[in-house]
């Protein structure tokens, strides 16, 4: 789940008191405090969920001085929170699912499945195994509980109290289907004993089959799916009749993995670790769908060649240009390797790194299923149903984008009638909610220039609850609308609402909310709206006592026709004499991330550092440049094939805004950021030399050809197919333009953006005889630093860089 805001009083989760820091009681800030273990701030409320009876809420809090999370339960009647000891945790509910009649609930606890009879409160432990079970759900007739263990599904008969496999799938050829070859037939013809042995085996098998068919208490017989594939995912229908199986080619390899080296180790020896592959070195493995009829013990491959546009080549023009260039250079083999596929490969199930865009959802009654497929070239997303009689996919919706399909906003499912799909789509330019009956026309349930996410259908099927920024791009709350369409009504009033969970009876919402200096907190309110009850306050006095600077959210006008670039400004609101102030521009990471919101920021340390910079006389601007989340499809895709270009235009507009409105000296502006922000710091210094007095690039991508496939190929295509996009977008290609002081900082065991990115650019600067560039490496840090000493050292160097090269008045 995401985050939340703090509004009032009720019951408070007790946390150990922290020693007062220099920031407490309004004292001056210092780097030691800002970069210390963040336990002094408080603890974010995490992962709230409802008890089965709806009378309590559970949530987790991180322990002080440890990564361990404790489980808490807050009683809604009294408002009292209690930390559960191990014995109480063993008896706690988990996030529950309910049968259609609301007679039973089921949940996962410590990897096992539990079921509760709601009338009696009797709890049954369904599994007790060393393997992790997951995904409990009740069958469409409410008689059984289905759950999975890896890709194997099981069915627990509620009346009998017995579990059995829903299916036994074998990814080999059926040994009984093998036909005798010529030699085998000749042997049988020659030898009576062999014929008698075969007859005995056939009779025994026929008898076993007859006994099994007449005995419902037996486990199902294996279904052989052939030896050409291996399972990626399986999804059982609620009626137990069908199973959809996602496969990939057997033995598929994913290319060479670069390594990182751990130099500070328990063993005292340097230790190597494999990381992810480079973009384009091996595309994601294509996936296929198989429909298995469990009743008939038969299977049917579901072909994708009938999906609209699946045989088109959306990269036709780019492909033609690259092939022509390769042929001109005499590289015919490379040119042939770029031939477009006749049917574009797809993925159905995507890992977190793949950016989503896949999945399978059955209707509650098991009569229909929806499959979301995504083209590996990232240009199309399809939602298809299955014709069970013809064993074929039927397209219900196609979303196409000549840049790339978003990795967000891919939620989909069924209304309670089991015949109407709902889904999110960016086809209007913003993520909106749609419904569509099978074979019918799509209906927009929401419309507008705002983003809709987190759709949750009420258990009675009457309402959709969603998270939107309808009021302002930076302001998020819960809204609801009738599931058949109608007015979108605001439910919460936080402006920093991060996530929510509907109660089992659908009458209440558990709401996580936050604000710029308040960690995510938990509240409860009526699902129809009204005043919330605050349930937690997990902030520490040492943090809340400080008069933190509230960021001013401001629209920076774009000089390139992009409209307003929303930003957070830290500093005095009054105008100053022209050229009297130094400034720093912070660039958030990820690219597709929204940092200009009224919620608590993932960049909380940076926000405190910005307070320190203001204390030192700077003003600070933090911008949601083009590519950022929350502003629609066109804002997101502005960087397609040109990363670092529209964003730099926006950052320069931010600098101009500071000069015009806050008396900033244009010669005294620094810039810094991490990850994508580090990349943009490099692009700013290398593509606009002289615009920034100095910059610090933290864990930056310097050459996009060495980043991962899932993220990079969305935006720049494959490097073999679109080398121009990579050359245009990679800082290392502009290394000869360095003239301003540059500090690069990187974790030495970063397995996301590899340290080699920084080291390779550093070597390029050496060979170009550049000056005033430095590199600091952190032996025990990955992409996200975790050790306070490293955080302190990193920001001490940034502070010194700015105080040396940005703050002094230029003569």
């Amino acid at each position: 789940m995401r985050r939340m805001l703090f509004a009032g009083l009720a019951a408070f989760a007790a946390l150990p008191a922290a020693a007062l820091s220099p920031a407490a009681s309004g004292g001056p800030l210092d780097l030691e405090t800002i970069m210390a273990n963040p336990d002094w701030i408080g603890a974010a409320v995490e992962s709230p969920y409802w008890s089965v009876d709806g009378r309590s809420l559970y949530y987790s809090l991180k322990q002080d001085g440890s990564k361990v999370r404790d489980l808490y339960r807050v009683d809604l009647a009294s408002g009292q929170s209690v930390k559960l000891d191990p014995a109480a945790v063993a008896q706690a509910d988990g996030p529950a699912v309910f049968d259609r009649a609301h007679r039973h609930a089921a949940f996962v606890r410590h990897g096992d499945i539990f079921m509760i009879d709601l009338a009696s409160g009797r709890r049954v432990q369904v599994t007790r195994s060393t393997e992790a079970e997951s995904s409990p759900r009740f069958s469409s007739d409410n008689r059984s509980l289905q759950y999975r263990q890896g890709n194997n599904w099981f069915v627990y008969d509620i009346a009998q109290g017995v579990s059995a496999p829903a299916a036994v799938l074998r990814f080999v050829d059926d040994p009984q289907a093998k036909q005798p070859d010529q030699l085998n037939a000749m042997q049988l013809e020659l030898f009576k004993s062999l014929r008698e042995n075969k007859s005995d085996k056939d009779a025994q098998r026929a008898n076993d089959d007859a006994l099994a068919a007449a005995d419902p208490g037996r486990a199902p017989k294996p279904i052989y799916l052939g030896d050409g594939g291996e399972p990626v995912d399986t999804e059982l229908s609620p009626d137990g009749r069908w199973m959809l199986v996602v496969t990939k080619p057997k033995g598929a390899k994913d290319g060479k993995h670069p390594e990182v080296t751990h130099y500070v180790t328990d063993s005292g020896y340097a230790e190597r670790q494999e990381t992810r592959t480079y973009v384009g070195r091996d595309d994601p493995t294509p996936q296929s769908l198989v429909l298995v009829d469990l009743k008939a013990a038969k299977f049917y491959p579901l072909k994708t060649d009938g999906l609209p546009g699946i045989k088109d080549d959306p990269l036709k023009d780019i492909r033609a240009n690259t092939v022509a260039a390769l042929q001109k250079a005499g590289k015919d083999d490379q040119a042939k390797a770029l031939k477009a596929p006749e049917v574009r490969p797809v993925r159905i199930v995507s890992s977190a790194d793949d950016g989503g865009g896949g999945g399978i959802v059955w209707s509650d009654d098991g009569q229909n299923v929806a499959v979301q497929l995504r083209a590996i070239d990232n240009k199309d997303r399809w939602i298809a149903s299955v014709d069970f009689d013809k064993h074929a996919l039927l397209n219900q919706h196609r979303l196409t984008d000549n840049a790339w399909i978003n990795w967000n906003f891919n939620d989909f499912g069924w209304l309670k009638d089991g015949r109407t799909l709902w889904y999110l789509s960016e086809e209007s330019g913003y993520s909106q909610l749609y419904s569509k009956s099978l074979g019918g026309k799509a209906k927009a349930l929401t419309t507008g220039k705002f983003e809709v996410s987190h759709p949750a259908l009420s258990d009675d099927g009457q309402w959709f609850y969603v998270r939107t920024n309808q009021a302002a791009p930076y302001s998020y709350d819960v809204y609801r609308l009738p599931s058949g369409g109608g007015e979108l009504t605001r439910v919460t009033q936080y402006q920093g609402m991060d996530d929510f969970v509907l109660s089992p009876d659908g009458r209440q919402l558990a709401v996580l909310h936050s604000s710029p200096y308040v960690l995510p907190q938990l509240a409860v309110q009526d699902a129809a709206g009204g005043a919330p009850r605050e349930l937690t306050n997990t902030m520490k006095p040492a943090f809340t006592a400080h008069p933190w600077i509230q960021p001013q959210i401001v629209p920076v006008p774009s000089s390139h026709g992009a409209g307003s670039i929303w930003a957070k400004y830290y500093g005095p609101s009054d105008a100053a004499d022209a050229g009297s102030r130094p400034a720093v521009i912070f660039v958030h990471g990820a690219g597709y991330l929204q940092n200009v919101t009224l919620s608590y920021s993932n960049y909380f340390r940076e926000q405190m550092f910005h307070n320190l910079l203001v204390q030192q006389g700077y003003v600070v601007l933090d911008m949601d440049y083009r590519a950022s989340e929350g502003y629609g499809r066109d804002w997101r895709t502005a960087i397609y094939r040109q990363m670092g270009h529209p964003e730099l235009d926006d950052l320069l507009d931010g600098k101009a805004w500071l000069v015009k409105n806050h008396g900033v000296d244009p010669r005294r502006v620094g810039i810094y950021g991490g990850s994508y922000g580090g990349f943009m710091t490099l692009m700013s210094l290398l593509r606009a030399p002289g615009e920034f007095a100095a910059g610090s690039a933290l864990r930056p991508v310097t050459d996009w050809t060495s980043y991962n496939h899932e993220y990079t190929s969305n935006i720049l295509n494959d490097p073999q197919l679109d080398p121009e996009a990579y050359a245009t977008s990679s800082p290392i290609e502009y290394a000869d333009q360095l003239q301003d002081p540059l500090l690069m900082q990187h974790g030495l065991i970063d397995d996301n953006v590899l340290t080699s990115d920084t080291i390779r650019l550093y070597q390029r600067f050496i060979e170009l005889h550049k000056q005033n560039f430095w590199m600091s490496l952190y032996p025990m840090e990955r992409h996200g630093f975790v050790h306070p000493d490293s955080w302190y050292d990193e920001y001490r160097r940034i502070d010194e860089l700015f105080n040396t090269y940005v703050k002094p008045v230029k003569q």
Side-chain angles (χ1 to χ4, degrees), residues 120-140:
S120 67
R122 178 174 174 266
R123 176 183 297 213
V124 175
Q125 184 168 353
V126 175
T127 68
R128 182 178 295 167
S129 71
T130 58
E131 302 296 327
E133 284 87 25
S134 63
S135 307
R137 69 177 183 216
F138 290 92
S139 62
S140 55

Side-chain angles (χ1 to χ4, degrees), residues 100 103 138-144 238-239 364:
R100 298 169 78 184
R103 290 196 297 263
F138 290 92
S139 62
S140 55
D141 62 8
N142 297 330
R143 294 180 179 179
S144 61
D239 63 4
D364 287 346

Side-chain angles (χ1 to χ4, degrees), residues 209-486:
D209 289 346
L211 290 173
D215 186 355
R218 295 200 182 192
K221 293 182 61 178
I223 300 175
Y224 296 91
L225 302 184
D227 66 354
E230 56 187 61
V232 176
D233 186 32
T234 57
E235 295 292 342
L236 177 66
S237 65
D239 63 4
R241 167 71 187 275
W242 303 94
M243 184 175 286
L244 271 179
V245 181
V246 181
T247 67
K248 64 180 181 180
K250 185 169 289 187
K253 298 180 180 179
D254 57 1
K256 182 178 179 180
H257 291 253
E259 296 178 335
V260 298
T261 301
H262 298 248
Y263 291 99
V264 182
T265 63
D266 292 336
S267 69
Y269 293 89
E271 299 172 2
R272 293 186 175 182
Q273 172 207 335
E274 278 194 351
T275 64
R276 43 66 182 174
T277 57
Y278 292 154
V279 58
R281 298 308 164 189
D282 270 287
D283 285 356
T285 305
Q287 295 174 351
S288 302
L289 270 172
V290 178
L291 176 66
V292 183
D293 185 338
L294 301 183
K295 183 177 180 180
K298 295 182 179 180
F299 69 94
Y300 309 91
L302 298 178
K303 296 181 179 180
T304 61
D305 57 1
L307 295 173
I310 193 73
K311 296 180 181 180
D312 297 342
D313 181 11
L315 295 164
K316 179 179 179 181
D317 293 340
I318 294 172
R319 192 184 308 275
N321 290 336
T322 303
V323 167
L326 288 170
Q327 290 173 336
K328 184 177 180 180
K331 300 178 180 179
D332 291 341
D333 288 346
Q334 294 182 37
K336 290 180 181 178
L338 295 180
K339 180 182 177 181
E342 293 183 7
V343 177
R344 288 189 283 156
V346 300
R347 288 174 71 83
I348 296 96
V349 176
S350 301
S351 69
D353 291 337
D354 292 337
I360 298 170
V361 180
W362 287 92
S363 61
D364 287 346
D365 59 9
Q367 299 303 299
N368 285 295
V369 65
V371 183
Q372 193 173 102
L373 308 95
R374 179 173 175 143
I376 285 179
D377 61 29
N378 308 310
K379 309 301 183 191
D380 274 287
R381 183 197 80 182
W382 297 270
I383 299 176
S385 59
V386 173
D387 185 322
F388 296 107
D389 293 328
K390 297 181 179 179
H391 313 124
L393 292 174
L394 299 176
N395 181 66
Q396 299 297 332
H397 180 259
R398 177 192 180 192
L399 177 64
T400 188
D401 195 311
N402 58 14
W404 76 93
I405 299 294
N406 199 343
W407 40 77
N408 285 357
F409 310 132
N410 291 302
D411 306 63
F412 69 108
W414 296 92
L415 295 184
K416 294 300 179 179
D417 65 4
R419 306 295 180 269
T420 306
L421 284 164
W422 63 261
Y423 55 89
L424 293 180
S425 173
E426 277 189 324
E427 60 200 69
S428 71
Y430 292 82
S431 173
Q432 298 294 324
L433 182 63
Y434 297 81
S435 66
K436 180 183 183 296
S437 60
L438 294 180
K441 293 184 178 180
K443 176 182 179 180
L445 301 180
T446 62
T447 58
K449 294 184 176 181
F450 54 88
E451 306 278 44
V452 174
S453 65
H454 296 55
L457 183 64
S458 62
D459 191 63
D460 63 9
Q462 298 301 305
W463 297 95
F464 271 112
Y465 292 82
V466 296
R467 179 180 187 255
T468 86
N469 57 351
Q470 184 185 43
Y474 48 82
S475 175
Y476 286 88
D477 269 298
V478 179
Y479 290 67
R480 77 172 188 171
L481 70 153
S483 59

